[in-house]
Every structure is written in structure tokens, then in C-alpha cells.
Amino acid sequence: MRGACAVAGVTVLVVVGAGMAAAGDESGRPDLARYYTQKIKWGTCKGDTEAMAEATGGAKDIRCGHVSVPLDYADPASGDVDVAMIRMKSSASGKPRGSLLLNFGGPGGPGVSALAGAQKDFGFLSKDYDVVSFDPRGVGLSEPVSCGDADKSTDPSSGGTGDAAAVLAEMRKVAAECAKKSGPVLPHMGTVNVSRDLDVMRQALGDKKLNYLGFSYGTRLGAVYAAQFPKNVGRMVLDGVDTLTEPVAEQSLVTAEGRQTALDNFLTWCTGNAGCVFGTDSRSARKGMVRLIKDMDQMPLRSLDGAEFTGQDVVGVLGQALYSRQAWPALSQALGALLADGDPRALIRMSGGLVPTGIPSTGPATGSATGLSAGEEVPADNMAAALMGVNCADDPDRPDAAHIEKEVGKLQKQFDDASPVFGKSMLMPVLLCFGRPAGTKYIREDVRDVKTPKLLLVGTRGDPATPYRWTEETARRLGSQAVVLDNKGDGHTGYLGSTCVQDKVNGFLLYGETPKSGESCAADEG
């Protein structure tokens, strides 16, 4: 997770556009002119961001900066949030087409570190664009939220309906701890606010239109932007399409099922190869994985400085690694080291070193050239806390106390049945929404039938996190401007896993070549 970059200068140019009001606007809308007249001051990235950029492609073309956005768009005087940004400068000999903004997913995924570590993956797009990414408010270096250890100390999966009152009490404690440790930004998270931040970034970058590539959760953000600012949409690609309608509980359950399927596929692959630490029988391997997680939750590994590595930490690494088949050999070796020698270091490295394929790495990071002071660490739980903050803000279906007391046992069984490995971790975000303000109805009710240029939606048939049916459902909601590219392969998102998908996305973003709706990419390509 990362955060805000160098200081933004302000011009005296006054621009009035969608989403802002000039001073004295008779409509009564808040005056946002000072945000929409910013210019970004790009500077050298520092700390982990600089080191990652140098290690993965050369930092000379990478610069960091920030924009200021209102904490509360309804009351700009209440304070600002500094949003961290990173730019990979275009390699075009002349003037670039403009900027292409990337969101790598989450919610809660940092864009600054993700782009710094993935320059080569997006180098072709930099032929025409300055490729830009950012840490959304509350994430990474953009005033990161945290719950401390509160969410880790709570175990909603232990016990049954008889423990419902205790679970409810714990949820209240967690909500209070999150609010205490996160500061003022937590109540103002959510995709509707991040979408408005995106429009401020567009203007600060000097772009009349937003050109955008969003992965996973980034597709929800792109869809909300298209509904809020239809006249400002340029070329937009949504890859690994998220749902706009299903509540947090249903999303979490689908994700648990998808991850379990991916894990089963990995274990089948592993046991079919020589040297698999789980042996040669996939059924025994699945039981062995469940036993490993439970044993390590009961008896975590401890480092010399007292830090723990638990079964849920293993689950966190698995959740990332299983998004890409390319990571499976490294995952097999890392699990081998853990089981054979009790050495978690390879798994820990994977948690901070995976090339993003829609959802980026979540390893802790020190402050860089932005919102955190030198040596100050982004909270280790930032991505989890931000995911909770955004999903709860986006979901109007807030369970009340009576519902949780009645349903917690049923939910526990539902999630355990969906995945004995991922069920516990995926149930937690559902319960953590209890006690928070009701989420917005805007996404579910108003993000539909957009009046934009053509939007390219990429759905992958074997996606473990965002099922293909979500691509079809979202395309229908967005209306006639949504064009679907059917990727018949596996893995979470398609751009980095399929040469065919990459070619078609590049053709759309660079040259305006729109695939025919329903066009497909074969599974064996890439």
C-alpha cells in the first residue's frame, strides 16, 4: 500500500466542467474550482517506490506527484485528502495522446507501487500515453486507513449461533477501533467519492477526456465514473468485470467459491508434478491444505522479533497467487519450504512481490515520496481495512443486529461449505460492515444505460474472482455502449494473461479499434 506524492502547484486558470462548480454558482453546489485548477508537480519517487521502479525497468521515466481532493464533496471546507499518483512518461517522440489512468483493483489495492513494479507490462501503451496510476483515498500513501489488530483478534467463524451476541459485540469493537485508527477519511471512502477524485485527476493531468484501464474492482470504479461523468469518458476498458448489483455477502461468497476452485485446480496441477510437497493424490492434498491452515492458526510461526505468521497469512498469499497460473510453480516451492522446513520467507516474499494481474500485492511498505514521512510504514492491514471501507460504503444492504444474531451461524456454514480454506477470511468483510453507516444506493440504482463512447468489457471464463456472468450482467446494465470481449482462458483478468486480449485492448486504447461484441479470444492464446 502506498500514498500521496510530491506537492501540487495551483494555477489561476478557472475551469468549470462536469462535477465542479465555480465560485458563486447559483445552483447551490459546493465550489470545487480550486481542486479543478490544480497542476501536478511531478518529482522523483523515493523510498520503496523508487527502489521498485529501478528494479523493474528503470526509474528515469517514473515520476511521483499528488492531487488534493475534498474529504467531503458536499462540504469542501471540511478538509482535503492528498491522493498519491505515479506517472510513466510516454515514449512517443512527439506529444502523447494524453494520459491513460490505471486502477489495479482491490478495493484497497495501491496503484503507485503496482505501476512501479509493472512498467514492462504497460510499456506498449506508453507509446502513445503517459501511463498513470494512483492510490485511492484511504489506500497506501493516500492517508491509509487501518483497524490495527482488531480484525485479526476477531474470529467470527468460531462457534455457531450460540455465539452470535459475542460476535456482534466484537464487531462493534472492531468498528470503533477502525474509526479510531483511520482518522477522518474512513467515513468518506467508497467508489462514488473515488470516481469524483478520478475526475479531479483527469483535469489536473490536463486531459479533456478520461482514458482508463481498470482491473477487477477498477471496473466498478470505471462504470461509476461513466455514469457520473459520461461526457468526460474517452477510451475505457474494464477487465475482470465486477458486479454492480450483488450485495457484499453474495460477492464474498462468490469469491470464496472461485478461490476454492482455483486452489483445487492448483493442487491437482501440483500433485501431477514431481516433487509436490502434498504428494501425488489431489484429494489428500486438499485435506492437507485445510489442516495446514488450521494448525498454523492455532500455532503460528514466530520470528525472532515476535512477529507471527498465521494460517490466515497463508490464506492471504494463496488468494493472490491463485489469480495467475504463472505464479503456481513459485507457490509450490514456497509451500514446500513452509511444510518441509517451517520457513515462511518465500511465501512472505510472494505476498509483496507478485506482478499484478488485476489485484496487486499487499505487502507492507515504508513511506515514499508522498503522504507518509520517511520511515513511516503503511499499516500492514491497510488493504484489508480499505477493502472493508469501500465495500461497506458501496453496499446499501446493511445487516442489523437482529439479522446478524439470527443469521451468523447460517452464514458461517454457508461460507465454510463454499470454501474450507477461504470461507473464514471471506466472511469477515461481510460481518465488518455491521455498525457502519448505510451504503449508497447510487451504484445499484443509477449506474446503468450510460451515454458514453463505446466501452470495452473483458470477461474471462475461468476467472476465480469475477465470474464471467458478471461481465454479461454489467454489460446489460451499461447498455448499448458496452462491447464484450469473451476471453475463454483462465486466471483473474485477461490483459496480462492472454496475448489475444492484450492485442485487442491495445488496439482499442491506441487506435480506437473496437472488437465486435461477443468476439472471443481462445483459451490457448497467451
Side-chain angles (χ1 to χ4, degrees):
M1 285 101 287
R2 324 286 112 148
C5 282
V7 181
V10 178
T11 69
V12 293
L13 179 67
V14 176
V15 181
V16 181
M20 66 166 287
D25 190 329
E26 294 181 359
S27 69
R29 291 179 299 173
D31 178 12
L32 302 177
R34 71 183 179 92
Y35 301 103
Y36 273 84
T37 55
Q38 295 177 82
K39 292 287 186 181
I40 302 168
K41 182 179 178 181
W42 297 105
T44 302
C45 301
K46 298 178 182 177
D48 286 356
T49 303
E50 181 185 37
M52 189 176 294
E54 289 176 345
T56 58
K60 65 181 185 301
D61 296 325
I62 289 285
R63 292 291 182 268
C64 289
H66 83 236
V67 294
S68 293
V69 297
L71 176 68
D72 181 354
Y73 277 91
D75 181 18
S78 64
D80 295 346
V81 177
D82 285 339
V83 174
M85 300 182 69
I86 186 169
R87 182 188 70 181
M88 181 168 67
K89 194 168 178 57
S90 172
S91 59
S93 55
K95 187 176 180 181
R97 179 186 302 277
S99 305
L100 175 69
L101 268 81
L102 307 183
N103 181 280
F104 291 94
V112 172
S113 61
L115 183 56
Q119 297 168 70
K120 292 180 181 178
D121 294 314
F122 300 97
F124 191 79
L125 291 170
S126 72
K127 288 175 59 177
D128 273 17
Y129 293 102
D130 289 334
V131 180
V132 178
S133 193
F134 63 101
D135 288 355
R137 56 170 64 206
V139 175
L141 298 170
S142 298
E143 305 191 18
V145 296
S146 173
C147 297
D149 293 326
D151 58 338
K152 288 187 177 181
S153 65
T154 304
D155 185 357
S157 296
S158 63
T161 52
D163 296 317
V167 169
L168 203 59
E170 280 299 318
M171 292 303 105
R172 288 195 183 97
K173 289 180 182 178
V174 172
E177 194 68 8
C178 293
K180 177 182 176 182
K181 291 189 178 296
S182 294
V185 73
L186 183 61
H188 300 285
M189 295 183 70
T191 304
V192 172
N193 277 330
V194 177
S195 170
R196 300 191 71 174
D197 297 345
L198 202 56
D199 200 58
V200 172
M201 286 181 246
R202 173 198 60 77
Q203 183 68 42
L205 288 164
D207 295 326
K208 291 182 179 180
K209 302 287 186 179
L210 176 75
N211 300 303
Y212 178 82
L213 172 56
F215 298 101
S216 194
Y217 161 76
T219 68
R220 189 197 311 173
L221 175 59
V224 171
Y225 184 90
Q228 285 188 305
F229 304 99
K231 293 181 180 179
N232 295 350
V233 173
R235 294 175 182 173
M236 179 175 286
V237 178
L238 310 179
D239 183 3
V241 183
D242 198 0
T243 179
L244 300 175
T245 60
E246 294 184 2
V248 168
E250 185 60 31
Q251 291 179 49
S252 294
L253 194 62
V254 168
T255 300
E257 291 170 344
R259 289 184 177 182
Q260 185 64 47
T261 298
L263 177 60
D264 291 346
N265 291 341
F266 162 74
L267 292 173
T268 298
W269 169 87
C270 181
T271 53
N273 288 276
C276 179
V277 72
F278 291 101
T280 59
D281 181 71
S282 59
R283 182 176 298 181
S284 295
R286 287 192 284 273
K287 293 179 180 178
M289 180 64 77
V290 173
R291 191 163 51 248
L292 169 67
I293 303 301
K294 288 183 177 178
D295 289 348
M296 288 190 61
D297 277 339
Q298 292 173 359
M299 297 182 62
L301 295 173
R302 281 186 169 80
S303 65
L304 292 175
D305 62 2
E308 291 187 344
F309 190 75
T310 69
Q312 293 310 302
D313 291 323
V314 176
V315 170
V317 178
L318 290 174
Q320 295 177 61
L322 292 170
Y323 282 155
S324 171
R325 291 184 72 98
Q326 294 146 328
W328 287 9
L331 177 62
S332 178
Q333 293 178 1
L335 288 168
L338 179 68
L339 281 165
D341 305 317
D343 184 356
R345 286 177 297 178
L347 276 175
I348 293 171
R349 284 194 297 271
M350 287 193 77
S351 72
L354 288 174
V355 175
T357 57
I359 294 185
S361 61
T362 61
T366 56
S368 67
T370 59
L372 300 180
S373 60
E376 185 180 352
E377 289 190 356
V378 174
D381 75 320
N382 175 235
M383 187 169 183
L387 182 146
M388 172 274 298
V390 173
N391 278 343
C392 295
D394 287 0
D395 183 9
D397 296 326
R398 185 68 63 250
D400 58 21
H403 179 81
I404 287 188
E405 286 198 33
K406 182 179 178 181
E407 297 292 331
V408 66
K410 179 181 175 182
L411 282 170
Q412 174 197 336
K413 185 176 186 310
Q414 236 181 341
F415 276 78
D416 283 347
D417 289 347
S419 172
V421 171
F422 297 102
K424 176 180 176 179
S425 63
M426 297 313 301
L427 174 58
M428 178 67 83
V430 178
L431 297 182
L432 284 176
C433 285
F434 170 75
R436 300 177 195 284
T440 180
K441 295 182 179 180
Y442 177 81
I443 299 173
R444 188 172 297 174
E445 296 182 355
D446 297 329
V447 181
R448 59 173 70 243
D449 301 321
V450 297
K451 309 301 181 185
T452 66
K454 292 292 184 184
L455 309 173
L456 179 58
L457 278 59
V458 181
T460 298
R461 293 283 178 169
D463 194 315
T466 50
Y468 186 79
R469 65 177 174 84
W470 285 357
T471 303
E472 296 177 314
E473 291 169 4
T474 298
R476 286 194 294 270
R477 281 182 61 87
L478 295 180
S480 60
Q481 296 306 96
V483 176
V484 173
L485 177 62
D486 180 357
N487 176 28
K488 298 185 183 300
D490 294 306
H492 185 37
T493 74
Y495 185 78
L496 295 181
S498 165
T499 301
C500 172
V501 171
Q502 194 167 90
D503 287 345
K504 291 187 183 297
V505 169
N506 288 346
F508 177 80
L509 290 172
L510 296 174
Y511 313 118
E513 299 170 352
T514 306
K516 295 178 181 178
S517 191
E519 194 169 336
S520 65
C521 285
D524 59 352
E525 296 193 45

